[in-house]
Amino acid sequence: MAATNSTGSETSNSATKHYQWQIKDGRQWLNISHDSVIEVHYSKPSAKGIKLFTQNYGNIFLDFDKMAIKSLKLKLRRNTSLPPGQKEQYLWYFFDNKCWYEYGSQGTANANASMGSPQIEQQYQTNPQGTCQFTVGQTSYILDFRAMIQTNSATGMRRCVKRRPKLNSVHPVNESRPFTPATTVSQTDRQWTWQFLGEEGVWTEYAKNNGLGMQCSVASDDIERSYNANPQGSISFTAGRFTYSLSFAGMFQVNNYTNTRRPVKRIANASQGTTVSSTPATVASSSSSGWTWQFLSDEGIWMEYARNNGLGINCSVNSDDIERLYNVSPRGITQFTAGSFTYTLNFAEMVQVNNRTKTKRRVQRLPNTNQGATGSSVPSTSTSTTTDSWMWQFLGDEGVWTDYCRNTIYGKRSSVDTNDIQKAYQQNPQGVIQFTVGKFSYTLSFAEMVQINDQTQTKRMVRRISSTTPNRTANLYLNDSVSVDDDDIFGWND
């Protein structure tokens, strides 16, 4: 992307383009060419900014909230030019449960708001430095336009607010856009269902509880509401111990830790047909050999080998079959099919390999007394108690899981590392540990799996994972163009 003088003649890349992103270099504003990618990111409430490369300045970060260039004393602006009688549509969002919701949607409270984006925008245009009041159910709130903060009048709880333009949305000034509060979607009235392509090619509906003991932070209806608010946007959610990003524009889901990508689809309920529900019954093991064989699924759940796993997938072997083959050749291999795929199970390495995709999964052999119910989140039966078997991580900048270590990536020294935390955990799994990083002190609660800054009260998620899991801590300073989620996460610089 190049910056050009705004006084020159620059041809718009679209006849309908009504915006121009500009950088102020000293005394003049310079146009940023090919700025449509900036506009797309800016329309997303979750985007704090975008990193890009320019011929004039090299790698720069455009901070949407501050309208400035990070690390450079340059100002940023979005200049608009609309024909007479036309106006741009703006949407208002609030931050709730790690997601951005448009006003008028239900968020996590499942209650109707008295105002939507059009009414809030009207109040804002009347007094951009003022406030407005509204209710959600029986609760009243105050929205401060200058601070871009929403405050619960009863509890004083504050939430971040954002105002972003709806992508390429221009309409007549006098066009009426009435607001209808969101209503709860009943199972019988649902018109759309969201599904992901799950294990072995089975389309599975998003649900709060998938029947395998795994909790998901969103269901199909939640995704549909977010999609209606911004069909070109994205949504972040959790399932089990993993976090995911779902792109509406690309119609895919990405595991933020493993980077596994799955196709997603939105289908009309009338056309569901034989789509498999993601709520199979939890079935106790029927293994009669005294041993149970399990594989580690994408979500970190140990699943028993069974001829029918409850998701409509037929497997050519079950736990007893594998045990018989293992007894014949404990260092050998066996091949089997599940759904449309064939697999090789290596007893010597205790791994399963998909012969087509080459995906590898860990396998374990357990005595039935330790097995429990199929699909439960059974931890590895390793008897090792060394601290090296486990790693402790906190959710740091940009949603990146980062190891606890003495010398942090921020140049600040920590009083503990992952081994120190593991030792304290083994002594009291329901207790706490206190430590320092730089000038701040922290409390880590093992019972709640959160870290709290004792001064600022900032909370961060914490997790304990097997050290055999590949460490995928991401580089926080990517050179490609990326959007940054504004989830109130700030490294060790709390």
Side-chain angles (χ1 to χ4, degrees), residues 463-476:
R463 71 179 182 183
R464 173 179 178 257
I465 62 173
S466 171
S467 60
T468 58
T469 302
N471 184 4
R472 298 178 182 269
T473 301
N475 183 350
L476 300 183

Side-chain angles (χ1 to χ4, degrees), residues 8-14 17 20:
S9 59
E10 182 185 42
T11 304
S12 172
N13 58 10
S14 172
K17 183 182 172 188
Q20 177 61 59

Side-chain angles (χ1 to χ4, degrees), residues 391-412:
M391 292 167 53
W392 285 82
Q393 298 177 329
F394 65 92
L395 191 61
D397 280 343
E398 326 308 358
V400 175
W401 286 103
T402 307
D403 294 347
Y404 284 93
C405 56
R406 297 278 182 180
N407 294 309
T408 74
I409 62 175
Y410 305 99
K412 298 180 181 180

Side-chain angles (χ1 to χ4, degrees), residues 89-93 101-104 115-123 162 164 179:
Q89 183 180 1
Y90 279 87
L91 303 179
W92 286 80
Y93 302 89
Y101 294 92
E102 184 187 353
Y103 280 93
M115 298 179 70
S117 284
Q119 288 72 33
I120 297 175
E121 179 66 16
Q122 185 177 9
Q123 297 272 353
K162 285 190 179 181
R164 294 288 169 89
F179 164 66

Side-chain angles (χ1 to χ4, degrees), residues 40-155:
V40 171
H41 280 270
Y42 183 65
S43 66
K44 301 176 182 179
S46 60
K48 184 177 181 180
I50 183 173
K51 181 171 287 188
L52 50 83
F53 178 82
T54 67
Q55 295 177 2
N56 305 62
Y57 307 106
N59 287 320
I60 59 175
F61 180 78
L62 278 59
D63 190 321
F64 293 150
D65 293 335
K66 297 180 180 178
M67 279 296 175
I69 309 299
K70 189 174 182 180
S71 76
L72 295 175
K73 294 182 179 180
L74 298 175
K75 293 182 179 180
L76 174 70
R77 76 177 181 184
R78 177 181 179 268
N79 196 27
T80 58
S81 177
L82 294 168
Q86 298 287 313
K87 68 177 181 179
E88 190 173 29
Q89 183 180 1
Y90 279 87
L91 303 179
W92 286 80
Y93 302 89
F94 64 95
F95 192 65
D96 183 21
N97 195 28
K98 299 184 179 181
C99 291
W100 288 96
Y101 294 92
E102 184 187 353
Y103 280 93
S105 66
Q106 290 181 302
T108 58
N110 290 324
N112 298 335
S114 61
M115 298 179 70
S117 284
Q119 288 72 33
I120 297 175
E121 179 66 16
Q122 185 177 9
Q123 297 272 353
Y124 174 80
Q125 292 294 342
T126 302
N127 184 7
Q129 299 298 312
T131 63
C132 74
Q133 291 185 314
F134 63 95
T135 60
V136 179
Q138 300 298 317
T139 308
S140 62
Y141 297 86
I142 298 175
L143 199 164
D144 187 328
F145 295 136
R146 184 173 61 179
M148 294 300 280
I149 292 291
Q150 164 194 301
T151 305
N152 185 310
S153 300
T155 66

Side-chain angles (χ1 to χ4, degrees), residues 16-270:
T16 59
K17 183 182 172 188
H18 61 278
Y19 60 86
Q20 177 61 59
W21 284 86
Q22 298 176 325
I23 297 173
K24 190 173 185 179
D25 186 6
R27 294 172 296 176
Q28 61 181 347
W29 286 98
L30 302 177
N31 292 339
I32 302 176
S33 61
H34 311 293
D35 58 347
S36 58
V37 64
I38 302 175
E39 183 71 9
V40 171
H41 280 270
Y42 183 65
S43 66
K44 301 176 182 179
S46 60
K48 184 177 181 180
I50 183 173
K51 181 171 287 188
L52 50 83
F53 178 82
T54 67
Q55 295 177 2
N56 305 62
Y57 307 106
N59 287 320
I60 59 175
F61 180 78
L62 278 59
D63 190 321
F64 293 150
D65 293 335
K66 297 180 180 178
M67 279 296 175
I69 309 299
K70 189 174 182 180
S71 76
L72 295 175
K73 294 182 179 180
L74 298 175
K75 293 182 179 180
L76 174 70
R77 76 177 181 184
R78 177 181 179 268
N79 196 27
T80 58
S81 177
L82 294 168
Q86 298 287 313
K87 68 177 181 179
E88 190 173 29
Q89 183 180 1
Y90 279 87
L91 303 179
W92 286 80
Y93 302 89
F94 64 95
F95 192 65
D96 183 21
N97 195 28
K98 299 184 179 181
C99 291
W100 288 96
Y101 294 92
E102 184 187 353
Y103 280 93
S105 66
Q106 290 181 302
T108 58
N110 290 324
N112 298 335
S114 61
M115 298 179 70
S117 284
Q119 288 72 33
I120 297 175
E121 179 66 16
Q122 185 177 9
Q123 297 272 353
Y124 174 80
Q125 292 294 342
T126 302
N127 184 7
Q129 299 298 312
T131 63
C132 74
Q133 291 185 314
F134 63 95
T135 60
V136 179
Q138 300 298 317
T139 308
S140 62
Y141 297 86
I142 298 175
L143 199 164
D144 187 328
F145 295 136
R146 184 173 61 179
M148 294 300 280
I149 292 291
Q150 164 194 301
T151 305
N152 185 310
S153 300
T155 66
M157 182 174 181
R158 293 150 61 96
R159 296 186 185 277
C160 293
V161 171
K162 285 190 179 181
R163 173 183 181 257
R164 294 288 169 89
K166 186 174 181 180
L167 188 63
N168 296 328
S169 179
V170 177
H171 55 84
V173 172
N174 60 355
E175 182 176 326
S176 176
R177 291 174 177 261
F179 164 66
T180 303
T183 56
T184 303
V185 180
S186 69
Q187 293 296 319
T188 57
D189 293 336
R190 290 172 56 200
Q191 297 180 350
W192 297 94
T193 296
W194 285 81
Q195 299 176 335
F196 64 92
L197 190 61
E199 302 287 349
E200 323 310 349
V202 174
W203 285 101
T204 307
E205 183 180 351
Y206 288 91
K208 298 278 188 179
N209 191 320
N210 71 349
L212 295 175
M214 189 192 313
Q215 300 293 325
C216 181
S217 63
V218 295
S220 196
D221 292 340
D222 302 316
I223 298 173
E224 177 65 15
R225 282 192 288 269
S226 296
Y227 174 81
N228 287 329
N230 187 3
Q232 294 299 311
S234 63
I235 183 175
S236 296
F237 64 95
T238 60
R241 62 189 178 94
F242 291 102
T243 61
Y244 298 84
S245 296
L246 194 162
S247 169
F248 297 135
M251 291 300 283
F252 59 80
Q253 158 195 307
V254 179
N255 183 310
N256 296 332
Y257 180 67
T258 66
N259 290 322
T260 300
R261 182 177 292 202
R262 296 182 183 278
V264 169
K265 68 180 180 181
R266 174 180 181 255
I267 60 173
N269 281 347

Side-chain angles (χ1 to χ4, degrees), residues 434-449:
Q434 291 186 314
F435 61 97
T436 61
V437 178
K439 65 179 181 179
F440 291 101
S441 62
Y442 298 84
T443 300
L444 195 163
S445 169
F446 298 133
E448 300 179 10
M449 292 301 280

Side-chain angles (χ1 to χ4, degrees), residues 211-348:
L212 295 175
M214 189 192 313
Q215 300 293 325
C216 181
S217 63
V218 295
S220 196
D221 292 340
D222 302 316
I223 298 173
E224 177 65 15
R225 282 192 288 269
S226 296
Y227 174 81
N228 287 329
N230 187 3
Q232 294 299 311
S234 63
I235 183 175
S236 296
F237 64 95
T238 60
R241 62 189 178 94
F242 291 102
T243 61
Y244 298 84
S245 296
L246 194 162
S247 169
F248 297 135
M251 291 300 283
F252 59 80
Q253 158 195 307
V254 179
N255 183 310
N256 296 332
Y257 180 67
T258 66
N259 290 322
T260 300
R261 182 177 292 202
R262 296 182 183 278
V264 169
K265 68 180 180 181
R266 174 180 181 255
I267 60 173
N269 281 347
S271 62
Q272 275 187 261
T274 59
T275 301
V276 179
S277 168
S278 61
T279 55
T282 301
V283 182
S285 172
S286 58
S287 173
S288 58
S289 63
W291 294 89
T292 297
W293 285 81
Q294 299 175 333
F295 63 91
L296 191 62
S297 72
D298 276 346
E299 317 307 343
I301 294 180
W302 287 102
M303 302 285 295
E304 185 185 349
Y305 287 92
R307 298 216 176 249
N308 191 314
N309 70 348
L311 292 173
I313 302 171
N314 292 316
C315 182
S316 62
V317 296
N318 61 15
S319 211
D320 288 341
D321 299 325
I322 296 173
E323 178 63 18
R324 283 192 291 269
L325 293 167
Y326 174 81
N327 288 328
V328 172
S329 179
R331 307 291 295 175
I333 63 172
T334 184
Q335 292 191 323
F336 64 94
T337 61
S340 60
F341 293 98
T342 60
Y343 298 84
T344 299
L345 198 163
N346 188 317
F347 295 134

